[in-house]
Amino acid sequence: MNPTAAILVIGDEILSGRTRDSNLHFLAQELARVGIDLQEARVVPDRHPVIVQAVRDLSGACDHVFTSGGIGPTHDDITADAVAEAMGVPLGVRDDARAILQAHYERMGVEMNEARLRMARIPEGAILIDNPVSSAPGFSVRNVHVMAGVPRIFEAMVAGLLPRLTGGTPLLSQSYRILRGEGEIAGPLADLAASYPDLSMGSYPFQQNGAFGANIVIRGSDSTRLHEAMTRLAAIFPE
Amino acid sequence: MNPTAAILVIGDEILSGRTRDSNLHFLAQELARVGIDLQEARVVPDRHPVIVQAVRDLSGACDHVFTSGGIGPTHDDITADAVAEAMGVPLGVRDDARAILQAHYERMGVEMNEARLRMARIPEGAILIDNPVSSAPGFSVRNVHVMAGVPRIFEAMVAGLLPRLTGGTPLLSQSYRILRGEGEIAGPLADLAASYPDLSMGSYPFQQNGAFGANIVIRGSDSTRLHEAMTRLAAIFPE
């Protein structure tokens, strides 16, 4: 059994339609590659009790929770507080995190102030997640991995974090394009899916120059079974 | 108080990283425009008990739930069954839905078969949602609005559905670009936010040619207050 995961995207800007999130899609691809099964994604607003509840629910339900957003220096950055409360640990400025920020601001020639120091507040017992882009670290508290929302920073943090997590069997997938309407594919495809309960088969319809078709995607962790099912699918619907 | 809403995106293809969802972002923009507050988004896999639980949770917590995906003719299209179970109503082929499909297939010159007839199964008491793209209707069961996952169809269904829902005061937003690091903006911005508790202020950092800056977004429903707060922000951080 592969480890399971959820992603929690935190931010009013996603729910108000201002920003189109890309971290969910990026993380989904990375997790499939390392064999961690993404079971749920949630987007919640910058509201303390809502974040606390979501972190509690998801960290209880999955092996890993990845959060995105809300760890900067401004008043709307409340993720560290909410995660600390959800996990029942105190939050305070930590020396190593402060030193990382201090060194960064010295290089930049700007001063550490109260707002910037907020980013050195780390829940007790957490492991830092490296931020090679703008220094302010993320952190892991037990199974909750807290990362920045800015996609470039989120992606760099994920790259640093994943090698430390134990993955499973990567999710493999193959797809096959059929130029018939889904209504004609559905019957034989359901029969095929029933004889491969270890694989998941999805049908994704498209329309092209007025003709209907569907991409059939077969997913699973056993490449032999996947290949066998795909061969049978191609025999049922020859090109 | 504006009505509240959640979106439930259903589909393995999103969580496996194969497909990047766009319906959440589209709906978020549309709801802001009509004054329905999007409070949460969830993505769940094509698994019956998970969909049932999510529909129950969200339909209890919000005024409206919008679902996307899983209403086609293939075996992985299980949304109608799950929604009917969650809402405690029976599901069966409905004459008006069947007639819509029948007319569509006659025009296309293809035959109605068992798989296609699945798309005429509508929970008891539901109101149909028009599908001008490929005919197979969506439906509203009480406060749960069930729509297709294909973005072009989802968007057309939303356009047909929204005029029938009662909206509230549209969410307005203005943004202001400041060419300073968030660490310098944070203090004065927090003070400003504290004196406008009816508005939400978000800071979204960027980096451009090595310089740090942030877009400050102020959101609210009262245009006078919004304008006033924005004027004060611009006075604090002149261009």
Side-chain angles (χ1 to χ4, degrees), chain B residues 141-208:
Chain B
V141 197
R142 299 203 294 274
N143 69 339
V144 179
H145 312 288
V146 174
M147 294 176 284
V150 175
R152 204 155 57 94
I153 305 177
F154 180 82
E155 292 167 17
M157 285 182 166
V158 168
L161 170 64
L162 285 188
R164 137 160 103 70
L165 307 182
T166 306
T169 319
L171 184 67
L172 306 173
S173 79
Q174 286 189 28
S175 72
Y176 187 72
R177 186 180 163 88
I178 301 175
L179 277 173
R180 302 199 201 176
E182 269 197 309
E184 278 166 52
I185 299 167
L189 182 65
D191 294 342
L192 187 66
S195 54
Y196 288 87
D198 53 324
L199 304 176
S200 116
M201 303 192 191
S203 171
Y204 306 103
F206 61 81
Q207 209 181 338
Q208 193 186 294

Side-chain angles (χ1 to χ4, degrees), chain A residues 10-70:
Chain A
I10 299 161
D12 289 351
E13 73 279 18
I14 312 293
L15 294 172
S16 73
R18 177 185 176 268
T19 302
R20 186 180 171 191
D21 168 71
S22 70
N23 294 336
L24 159 54
H25 182 58
F26 173 81
L27 185 67
Q29 291 179 311
E30 291 300 296
L31 293 180
R33 208 173 45 74
V34 300
I36 295 178
D37 295 345
L38 183 58
Q39 297 207 320
E40 184 176 335
R42 279 195 206 182
V43 186
V44 295
D46 301 319
R47 283 179 49 207
H48 182 84
V50 177
I51 303 170
V52 171
Q53 192 59 52
V55 170
R56 279 193 184 139
D57 290 351
L58 296 173
S59 68
C62 297
D63 295 320
H64 295 287
V65 179
F66 301 88
T67 81
S68 151

Side-chain angles (χ1 to χ4, degrees), chain A residues 8-221:
Chain A
L8 179 64
V9 176
I10 299 161
D12 289 351
E13 73 279 18
I14 312 293
L15 294 172
S16 73
R18 177 185 176 268
T19 302
R20 186 180 171 191
D21 168 71
S22 70
N23 294 336
L24 159 54
H25 182 58
F26 173 81
L27 185 67
Q29 291 179 311
E30 291 300 296
L31 293 180
R33 208 173 45 74
V34 300
I36 295 178
D37 295 345
L38 183 58
Q39 297 207 320
E40 184 176 335
R42 279 195 206 182
V43 186
V44 295
D46 301 319
R47 283 179 49 207
H48 182 84
V50 177
I51 303 170
V52 171
Q53 192 59 52
V55 170
R56 279 193 184 139
D57 290 351
L58 296 173
S59 68
C62 297
D63 295 320
H64 295 287
V65 179
F66 301 88
T67 81
S68 151
I71 62 165
T74 56
H75 68 283
D76 56 333
D77 290 306
I78 58 175
T79 299
D81 304 80
V83 169
E85 182 175 327
M87 306 305 278
V89 294
L91 178 75
V93 169
R94 211 167 85 176
D95 287 345
D96 55 350
R98 191 214 313 252
I100 290 169
L101 288 168
Q102 194 76 58
H104 173 70
Y105 292 127
E106 274 168 23
R107 276 195 308 275
M108 308 263 305
V110 300
E111 275 202 69
M112 176 76 100
N113 61 16
E114 203 186 326
R116 290 182 173 123
L117 194 61
R118 270 174 62 83
M119 295 189 285
R121 296 182 316 144
I122 304 291
E124 198 170 287
I127 299 170
L128 298 187
I129 299 173
D130 186 40
N131 171 355
V133 178
S134 58
S135 289
F139 54 82
S140 302
V141 198
R142 297 203 296 275
N143 69 339
V144 179
H145 312 288
V146 174
M147 293 176 285
V150 175
R152 205 155 57 93
I153 306 178
F154 180 83
E155 292 167 16
M157 285 182 167
V158 168
L161 170 65
L162 285 188
R164 137 161 104 69
L165 307 183
T166 305
T169 319
L171 184 67
L172 306 173
S173 78
Q174 286 189 28
S175 72
Y176 187 72
R177 187 181 163 87
I178 301 176
L179 277 174
R180 300 196 203 179
E182 269 197 308
E184 279 166 50
I185 299 167
L189 181 64
D191 294 343
L192 187 66
S195 55
Y196 288 87
D198 54 324
L199 303 176
S200 116
M201 302 192 191
S203 172
Y204 305 103
F206 62 82
Q207 208 180 338
Q208 192 185 294
N209 306 326
F212 290 92
N215 286 306
I216 307 303
V217 178
I218 308 187
R219 302 179 193 89
S221 51

